[in-house]
Amino acid sequence: MQNSDFSSASSRLTVDLAALADNWRMMNERSGRARAAAVLKGNAYGLGVMQAAPALYAAGARDFFVASVEEGAELRPLVPEGRVYVLAGMWPGNEALFFENDLVPIINSQEQLAYFMAALSERGDHPCVLHVDTGMNRLGLSPEEALRLVHDPVRPASFSPVLVMSHLACADDPGHPMNRHQLQRFREVTAFFEGVPASLANSGGVFLGEDYHFDLTRPGIAVYGGEAVDGDVNPMEPVVIAEARIVQIRTVPSGESASYGASVRFGRDSRIATVAIGYADGYHRSVSGGGVTLRQAMPSGAFGFLHGRKVPHVGRVTMDLSLFDVTDLPESTVRAGDYIELFGRNIPIDDVARAGGTIGYELLTSLGRRYHRTYVGGA
């Protein structure tokens, strides 16, 4: 929503397209001999595909993954020489969108395989990707089904996958034995698809090393500045900064409470900033401080950043408003109308996500329509 000037908006996002492009270049370099795709599903992880796609295309990306055929059709004119892969695959009724927009369906099941083959009998040649499940048990043909396909005597001659792919379940945990297990199973399958490019690594998989890279990597969250590996320093540049305006500053006497459910009680006279941000904007209720039922296991809530200092969130996040304790900042420095950083340059988005018991992906894709957005660093 762009209903106010950026300098006066109640909540605002700054999206750094140069940082987005730099992150993709870093992941492309880390992919070694493989080339890196760019994942643009979920409206470019909530940041805006109309802006993100041209920036990544200009940076050199030529392989793009989206979730649905509708996303693919929207993306196609933005990446005219790119190859667009659709993770959900083809189903009866949407084949025209694939053919008209030159989209590549990913075959995830026997049903999709049968339908795609039937569509080929009418259309002729069209590229596809074969998705093989190597242990995540979410989507994909079993290895046995994929190998039977290799030797199927009635397979149409025009059926020739341009890629064989699988998806890592535990790449964010480099020491997890599932990584090696999936790698071995994937190697066993790809050995039967000689000459067909292969893709296994997501963002975390890129950091697992050369064994996981194959021909095409598929970095997602890392390109958008998020953590790809648990417990490691995040080398990616922050791409988005979220800020919200302080609506009011009030003094709450020691012993009094605030917010719904009287969920925070103050042990000292406190200055509290009421900020124009809430769960309607994707700032989740679960990032609230202690005393919220959903957060008993993680009593420490999120922090904001204001005038060079981290300030704690207190009480419950509500639909439109949140409270931050600014008592430790000099009183003269904090005024109604100031902006507080929710996450971005000084507060990593993954720190806020952890405070809410979730992941950076969810915060990014939850960003609400009320933020006024500005894009910097574009071509």
Side-chain angles (χ1 to χ4, degrees):
M1 181 175 289
Q2 309 282 347
N3 57 359
S4 59
D5 184 79
F6 185 77
S7 63
S8 61
S10 295
S11 56
R12 61 192 193 183
L13 293 175
T14 302
V15 180
D16 188 340
L17 297 175
L20 180 77
D22 286 345
N23 285 343
W24 179 83
R25 292 188 189 98
M26 181 188 297
M27 296 303 283
N28 190 48
E29 183 176 348
R30 284 180 176 267
S31 297
R33 289 176 294 180
R35 67 185 189 275
V39 182
L40 286 164
K41 62 183 181 178
N43 193 28
Y45 284 52
L47 300 188
V49 71
M50 299 296 290
Q51 293 78 22
L56 293 167
Y57 189 76
R62 289 297 180 270
D63 298 87
F64 302 89
F65 285 80
V66 295
S68 68
V69 67
E70 293 83 5
E71 288 184 340
E74 181 182 18
L75 175 62
R76 167 48 69 206
L78 304 176
V79 293
E81 295 181 13
R83 174 167 271 176
V84 179
Y85 304 90
V86 177
L87 292 161
M90 180 186 290
W91 286 105
N94 66 19
E95 65 271 19
L97 281 174
F98 280 94
F99 297 147
E100 291 167 3
N101 293 282
D102 191 23
L103 308 177
V104 182
I106 293 175
I107 306 300
N108 298 295
S109 66
Q110 291 283 13
E111 293 88 349
Q112 288 190 335
L113 179 60
Y115 182 71
F116 179 70
M117 287 186 170
L120 285 185
S121 67
E122 298 181 7
R123 165 146 179 115
D125 190 30
H126 192 79
C128 73
V129 174
L130 204 62
H131 185 183
V132 181
D133 175 52
T134 54
M136 190 166 182
N137 283 308
R138 187 178 64 171
L139 283 176
L141 297 169
S142 71
E144 294 74 20
E145 289 171 329
L147 295 184
R148 282 199 299 271
L149 180 63
V150 173
H151 305 294
D152 185 354
V154 298
R155 184 182 71 179
S158 58
F159 178 76
S160 180
V162 296
L163 187 71
V164 177
M165 65 171 278
S166 191
H167 193 71
L168 292 166
C170 303
D172 56 349
D173 180 359
H176 201 291
M178 189 68 168
N179 295 322
R180 298 301 300 185
H181 172 71
Q182 287 192 262
L183 175 62
Q184 181 59 33
R185 296 192 80 187
F186 191 58
R187 283 173 169 166
E188 291 170 358
V189 172
T190 56
F192 286 89
F193 287 88
E194 187 176 356
V196 180
S199 176
L200 178 63
N202 51 10
S203 289
V206 172
F207 289 95
L208 288 176
E210 183 179 357
D211 284 351
Y212 293 82
H213 293 166
F214 290 89
D215 302 291
L216 180 70
T217 65
R218 308 188 309 274
I221 191 63
V223 174
Y224 298 92
E227 292 180 2
V229 180
D230 292 343
D232 281 1
V233 174
N234 184 6
M236 314 312 295
E237 296 180 43
V239 172
V240 58
I241 298 172
E243 302 170 293
R245 183 182 288 279
I246 297 174
V247 179
Q248 186 183 45
I249 300 168
R250 62 190 310 115
T251 298
V252 181
S254 177
E256 290 201 8
S257 62
S259 197
Y260 285 125
S263 53
V264 60
R265 189 167 298 276
F266 298 96
R268 62 176 178 171
D269 291 347
S270 300
R271 284 184 297 115
I272 303 302
T274 302
V275 177
I277 198 73
Y279 53 76
D281 306 290
Y283 194 68
H284 295 182
R285 186 176 185 269
S286 59
V287 308
S288 305
V292 175
T293 303
L294 294 176
R295 295 188 38 75
Q296 294 302 324
M298 298 181 65
S300 177
F303 286 82
F305 193 84
L306 179 67
H307 298 314
R309 292 280 297 275
K310 290 174 67 175
V311 293
H313 183 278
V314 292
R316 294 182 182 175
V317 174
T318 65
M319 182 178 288
D320 313 298
L321 299 169
S322 295
L323 306 180
F324 290 83
D325 189 335
V326 297
T327 309
D328 293 332
L329 289 175
E331 187 171 353
S332 61
T333 65
V334 183
R335 296 180 174 85
D338 288 349
Y339 285 96
I340 185 169
E341 180 187 310
L342 306 169
F343 56 80
R345 184 174 293 112
N346 301 290
I347 303 291
I349 188 171
D350 292 283
D351 286 358
V352 179
R354 272 187 289 272
T358 186
I359 54 178
Y361 298 75
E362 186 173 20
L363 286 187
L364 280 179
T365 56
S366 298
L367 295 172
R369 295 180 62 251
R370 294 193 296 192
Y371 287 99
H372 186 107
R373 299 176 182 231
T374 190
Y375 294 87
V376 300

